[in-house]
Amino acid sequence: MNNYRDTLRESAVRAGSLLCVGIDPVMDWLGYGREEPQLGGPSPEEVILEHLQDFLDVVDHSGLLPGAYKPNLGYFHALDRPRQGEYQGSRTLAKILDLLQERQRGIPVILDSKRGDIARSSENYASEAFQVWGAQAVTVSPWMGDDSVTPFFMEGRGVYALARTSNPGAARFQNLPVVTSRGETPLFREVVRVVQEWSRTFPGVGIVVGATALEELGEIVAYLASAPVPLLIPGVGKQGGSAEATLEVLRSVGYPLELVRVNASRGILFPWVPAEAPRGRRERRDALAEAYRSMHQALALRDGEALQ
Ligand SMILES: O=C(O)c1cc(=O)[nH]c(=O)n1[C@@H]1O[C@H](COP(=O)(O)O)[C@@H](O)[C@H]1O
């Protein structure tokens, strides 16, 4: 099995862009209410799969591959009704993963589940991501310590530990100063330091840092530049982060861009949000095409950047 850094490198060269397409489907955003589907109307599974097929057609038509996909597990589980024996959300995710494998083999899928537990439990969460769903990489929350993250270190797979997240409340804990044997440092910096240490024995481990936290991103990439790790940077598009400003920060320290993926979810698959979805399928497809092309371009690699 390819090691995860090779997977990132090869897919970056094929895509020519750092764009990671987030797959976070919500029926509301496709013009359907959140309430249970109407009798006789299309099911969430049908609606979401049709939308995804349209998106993959847009990708084919553009001739531009993305650098990764990132489905967020919570959006799919929210469509399951296990107490009624109904698993539409899980089935939809499974079908989407099959489609990606058929149509875009080699483009990594990062399962966004933000797991992390006592070691024995993390082993199960690792199986969930890698064996059950067959993802190439996973997001994990590192706050329970080393033994909660290391069970995810499996040959060929990627693991992204949350360091400085993109949400408005992120600084509350992550920027708190902590005292270590090397002096005082914000908590997120200690996570970054430890991830870099882990990466010496498991090169597939990296970090999540939000595009909405450019100052922290700058500190992190400057710190990591001598021994870089994979970066997953969400928060561009609907959360207000800028693709261009993010790339500028990375380029300013010569960060190896092939190890980086910048995620946009609503900004690509639901570009009309918070406005209502266009009524016609054709208009929705046109909106996807425009959003995909412009974000792919904003995150494009320059000649030779992925070949360092
Ligand atoms: O781990 C993540 O992917 C993640 C970390 C973070 O700091 N911020 C963040 O937004 N995310 C995820 O990235 C996606 C962002 O979605 P959009 O805001 O629609 O682009 C969602 O699936 C979030 O759960």
Coordinates of all heavy atoms in Angstrom, one line a residue, residues 20 22-24 29 70-73 75 110 112-114 139-140 160 162-167 170 174 208-212 232-240 263-268 270, ligand 1:
C20 N -9.8 20.4 -1.6 CA -10.5 19.2 -1.0 C -12.0 19.6 -1.0 O -12.4 20.6 -0.4 CB -10.0 19.0 0.4 SG -10.9 17.8 1.4
G22 N -15.5 19.1 0.3 CA -16.2 18.6 1.5 C -17.6 18.1 1.1 O -18.2 18.8 0.3
I23 N -18.0 16.9 1.6 CA -19.3 16.4 1.2 C -20.1 16.3 2.5 O -20.0 15.4 3.3 CB -19.1 15.0 0.6 CG1 -18.1 15.0 -0.6 CG2 -20.5 14.5 0.1 CD1 -17.9 13.7 -1.2
D24 N -20.9 17.4 2.7 CA -21.7 17.5 3.9 C -23.2 17.8 3.5 O -23.6 19.0 3.5 CB -21.2 18.7 4.7 CG -19.8 18.6 5.2 OD1 -19.2 17.5 5.1 OD2 -19.2 19.5 5.8
W29 N -30.6 22.3 2.0 CA -29.8 23.0 1.0 C -30.1 22.6 -0.4 O -29.6 23.2 -1.3 CB -28.3 22.8 1.3 CG -27.9 23.4 2.7 CD1 -28.6 24.3 3.5 CD2 -26.8 23.0 3.5 NE1 -27.9 24.5 4.6 CE2 -26.8 23.7 4.7 CE3 -25.7 22.1 3.2 CZ2 -25.8 23.6 5.6 CZ3 -24.7 22.0 4.2 CH2 -24.8 22.7 5.4
K70 N -13.7 15.1 1.4 CA -13.9 14.9 2.8 C -15.4 14.9 3.2 O -16.0 15.9 3.5 CB -13.2 16.1 3.6 CG -13.2 15.9 5.1 CD -12.5 17.0 5.8 CE -13.3 18.3 5.8 NZ -14.6 18.2 6.6
P71 N -15.9 13.6 3.2 CA -17.3 13.5 3.8 C -17.2 13.6 5.3 O -16.3 13.0 5.9 CB -17.7 12.1 3.3 CG -16.5 11.4 3.0 CD -15.4 12.4 2.8
N72 N -18.2 14.3 5.9 CA -18.3 14.4 7.3 C -19.4 13.4 7.8 O -20.5 13.5 7.4 CB -18.7 15.9 7.7 CG -18.8 16.1 9.2 OD1 -19.4 15.3 9.9 ND2 -18.1 17.1 9.7
L73 N -19.0 12.5 8.6 CA -19.8 11.4 8.9 C -21.1 11.8 9.6 O -22.2 11.2 9.4 CB -19.0 10.4 9.9 CG -19.6 9.0 10.1 CD1 -19.8 8.3 8.8 CD2 -18.6 8.3 11.0
Y75 N -23.2 14.2 9.0 CA -24.2 14.6 8.1 C -24.9 13.3 7.6 O -26.1 13.4 7.2 CB -23.7 15.4 6.9 CG -23.2 16.8 7.3 CD1 -22.1 17.0 8.0 CD2 -24.0 17.9 7.0 CE1 -21.7 18.3 8.4 CE2 -23.6 19.2 7.3 CZ -22.4 19.3 8.0 OH -22.1 20.6 8.4
I110 N -10.9 11.6 2.9 CA -10.6 11.9 4.3 C -12.0 11.8 5.0 O -12.9 12.6 4.7 CB -10.0 13.3 4.5 CG1 -8.7 13.5 3.7 CG2 -9.8 13.5 6.0 CD1 -8.3 14.9 3.5
D112 N -14.2 12.6 7.8 CA -14.2 13.5 8.9 C -15.1 13.0 10.0 O -16.3 13.2 10.0 CB -14.7 14.9 8.4 CG -14.6 16.0 9.4 OD1 -14.0 15.7 10.5 OD2 -15.0 17.1 9.1
S113 N -14.5 12.4 11.0 CA -15.3 11.9 12.1 C -14.8 12.4 13.5 O -15.5 12.2 14.5 CB -15.4 10.4 12.1 OG -14.1 9.8 12.0
K114 N -13.7 13.0 13.5 CA -13.1 13.7 14.7 C -13.2 12.8 15.9 O -13.6 13.2 17.0 CB -13.8 15.0 15.0 CG -13.6 16.0 13.9 CD -14.2 17.4 14.2 CE -14.0 18.4 13.1 NZ -14.8 18.0 11.9
T139 N -10.0 12.3 10.4 CA -9.7 13.4 11.4 C -9.9 12.9 12.8 O -10.8 12.1 13.1 CB -10.7 14.6 11.2 OG1 -12.0 14.1 11.3 CG2 -10.5 15.3 9.8
V140 N -9.0 13.3 13.7 CA -9.1 12.8 15.1 C -8.9 14.0 16.0 O -8.2 15.0 15.7 CB -8.1 11.7 15.5 CG1 -8.2 10.5 14.6 CG2 -6.7 12.3 15.5
Y160 N -5.4 13.1 10.7 CA -5.2 14.6 10.9 C -5.7 14.9 12.3 O -6.9 14.7 12.6 CB -6.1 15.3 9.9 CG -5.6 15.3 8.5 CD1 -6.1 14.3 7.6 CD2 -4.6 16.1 8.0 CE1 -5.7 14.2 6.3 CE2 -4.2 16.1 6.6 CZ -4.8 15.1 5.8 OH -4.3 15.1 4.5
L162 N -6.7 17.5 15.2 CA -7.2 18.9 15.3 C -6.2 19.7 16.1 O -5.8 19.3 17.3 CB -8.5 19.0 16.1 CG -9.7 18.2 15.4 CD1 -10.9 18.3 16.4 CD2 -10.0 18.7 14.1
A163 N -5.7 20.8 15.6 CA -4.7 21.6 16.4 C -5.3 23.0 16.6 O -5.5 23.4 17.8 CB -3.4 21.8 15.6
R164 N -5.7 23.7 15.6 CA -6.3 25.0 15.8 C -7.5 25.1 14.8 O -7.3 25.3 13.6 CB -5.3 26.2 15.5 CG -5.8 27.6 15.6 CD -6.6 27.8 16.9 NE -6.9 29.2 17.2 CZ -8.0 29.8 16.6 NH1 -8.8 29.2 15.8 NH2 -8.2 31.1 16.9
T165 N -8.7 24.9 15.3 CA -9.8 24.7 14.4 C -10.3 26.1 13.9 O -9.9 27.1 14.3 CB -10.9 23.9 15.1 OG1 -11.3 24.6 16.3 CG2 -10.5 22.5 15.4
S166 N -11.3 26.0 12.9 CA -11.7 27.2 12.2 C -12.9 27.9 12.9 O -13.2 29.0 12.5 CB -12.1 26.8 10.8 OG -13.3 26.0 10.8
N167 N -13.5 27.3 13.9 CA -14.8 27.8 14.4 C -14.5 29.0 15.3 O -13.4 29.2 15.8 CB -15.5 26.7 15.2 CG -14.6 26.1 16.2 OD1 -13.5 25.7 15.9 ND2 -15.1 26.0 17.4
A170 N -12.9 28.5 18.7 CA -11.7 27.7 18.8 C -10.7 28.2 19.8 O -10.0 27.4 20.5 CB -11.1 27.6 17.4
Q174 N -8.0 26.2 22.7 CA -6.8 25.9 21.9 C -5.7 26.9 22.0 O -4.5 26.6 21.8 CB -7.2 25.7 20.4 CG -8.1 24.4 20.3 CD -8.9 24.5 19.0 OE1 -8.5 25.1 18.0 NE2 -10.0 23.7 19.0
V208 N -5.0 19.5 11.6 CA -6.0 20.4 11.0 C -5.8 21.8 11.6 O -5.6 22.0 12.8 CB -7.4 19.9 11.5 CG1 -8.5 20.9 11.0 CG2 -7.7 18.5 11.0
V209 N -5.8 22.8 10.7 CA -5.7 24.2 11.2 C -6.6 25.0 10.2 O -6.6 24.9 9.0 CB -4.3 24.7 11.2 CG1 -3.5 24.4 9.9 CG2 -4.3 26.2 11.5
G210 N -7.4 25.9 10.8 CA -8.5 26.6 10.1 C -7.9 27.7 9.3 O -7.0 28.5 9.7
A211 N -8.5 27.9 8.1 CA -8.1 29.1 7.2 C -8.6 30.4 7.8 O -8.3 31.5 7.3 CB -8.7 28.9 5.8
T212 N -9.5 30.3 8.8 CA -10.0 31.5 9.4 C -9.0 32.0 10.5 O -9.3 33.1 11.1 CB -11.3 31.2 10.1 OG1 -11.2 30.0 10.9 CG2 -12.4 30.9 9.1
L232 N -4.5 19.8 6.8 CA -5.8 19.9 6.3 C -6.4 21.2 6.8 O -6.4 21.5 8.0 CB -6.7 18.7 6.9 CG -8.2 18.8 6.5 CD1 -8.4 18.7 5.0 CD2 -9.0 17.7 7.2
I233 N -6.7 22.1 5.9 CA -7.1 23.5 6.2 C -8.6 23.7 5.8 O -8.8 24.0 4.6 CB -6.2 24.5 5.5 CG1 -4.7 24.1 5.8 CG2 -6.5 25.9 6.0 CD1 -3.7 25.1 5.2
P234 N -9.5 23.6 6.7 CA -10.9 23.9 6.4 C -11.2 25.4 6.7 O -10.4 26.1 7.3 CB -11.7 23.0 7.3 CG -10.8 22.8 8.5 CD -9.4 23.0 8.1
G235 N -12.3 25.8 6.2 CA -12.8 27.2 6.6 C -12.8 28.2 5.5 O -13.2 29.4 5.7
V236 N -12.4 27.8 4.3 CA -12.5 28.8 3.2 C -14.0 28.7 2.6 O -14.7 27.8 2.8 CB -11.5 28.5 2.0 CG1 -10.1 28.5 2.5 CG2 -11.8 27.2 1.3
G237 N -14.3 29.8 2.0 CA -15.7 29.9 1.5 C -16.7 30.4 2.5 O -16.5 31.5 3.1
K238 N -17.6 29.5 2.9 CA -18.7 30.0 3.7 C -18.3 30.4 5.1 O -19.1 31.1 5.8 CB -19.8 28.9 3.8 CG -20.4 28.5 2.5 CD -21.3 29.6 1.9 CE -21.7 29.2 0.5 NZ -22.4 30.3 -0.2
Q239 N -17.2 29.9 5.6 CA -16.8 30.4 7.0 C -15.9 31.7 6.9 O -15.5 32.2 7.9 CB -16.0 29.3 7.7 CG -16.8 28.1 8.0 CD -16.0 27.0 8.8 OE1 -15.3 27.3 9.7 NE2 -16.2 25.8 8.4
G240 N -15.7 32.1 5.7 CA -15.0 33.4 5.5 C -13.5 33.4 5.3 O -12.9 34.4 5.0
N263 N -10.0 22.7 2.4 CA -11.3 22.1 2.3 C -12.4 23.2 2.1 O -12.4 24.2 2.9 CB -11.7 21.3 3.5 CG -13.1 20.7 3.3 OD1 -13.3 19.7 2.6 ND2 -14.1 21.3 3.9
A264 N -13.3 23.0 1.2 CA -14.5 23.8 1.1 C -15.6 22.8 1.0 O -15.6 22.0 0.1 CB -14.5 24.8 0.0
S265 N -16.7 22.9 1.8 CA -17.8 22.0 1.7 C -19.0 22.7 1.1 O -19.3 22.6 -0.1 CB -18.2 21.5 3.1 OG -17.0 20.8 3.6
R266 N -19.7 23.6 1.9 CA -20.9 24.3 1.3 C -20.5 25.1 0.1 O -21.2 25.2 -0.9 CB -21.5 25.2 2.4 CG -22.3 24.5 3.4 CD -22.6 25.4 4.6 NE -21.3 25.7 5.3 CZ -21.2 26.6 6.3 NH1 -22.3 27.2 6.7 NH2 -20.1 26.9 6.8
G267 N -19.3 25.7 0.1 CA -18.8 26.6 -1.0 C -18.7 25.9 -2.3 O -18.8 26.6 -3.3
I268 N -18.6 24.6 -2.3 CA -18.6 23.8 -3.6 C -19.9 23.1 -3.9 O -20.5 23.3 -5.0 CB -17.5 22.7 -3.5 CG1 -16.1 23.4 -3.2 CG2 -17.4 22.0 -4.9 CD1 -15.5 24.2 -4.3
F270 N -22.9 23.4 -2.3 CA -24.1 24.1 -2.0 C -23.8 25.6 -2.1 O -23.9 26.4 -1.1 CB -24.6 23.7 -0.6 CG -24.9 22.3 -0.5 CD1 -23.9 21.5 0.1 CD2 -26.0 21.7 -1.0 CE1 -24.1 20.1 0.2 CE2 -26.2 20.3 -0.9 CZ -25.2 19.5 -0.3
Ligands
LIG1 O1 -12.0 18.7 10.7 C1 -12.6 19.4 9.9 O2 -12.7 19.1 8.7 C2 -13.0 20.7 10.3 C3 -12.2 21.4 11.3 C4 -12.3 22.7 11.5 O3 -11.5 23.3 12.2 N1 -13.3 23.4 10.9 C5 -14.2 22.8 10.0 O4 -15.0 23.5 9.4 N2 -14.1 21.4 9.8 C6 -15.0 20.7 8.9 O5 -14.9 21.2 7.6 C7 -16.2 21.4 6.9 C8 -16.4 22.9 6.6 O6 -17.6 23.1 5.9 P1 -17.9 24.5 5.1 O7 -17.8 25.5 6.1 O8 -19.2 24.2 4.6 O9 -16.8 24.6 4.1 C9 -17.2 20.8 7.9 O10 -17.3 19.4 7.6 C10 -16.5 21.0 9.2 O11 -17.0 20.0 10.2

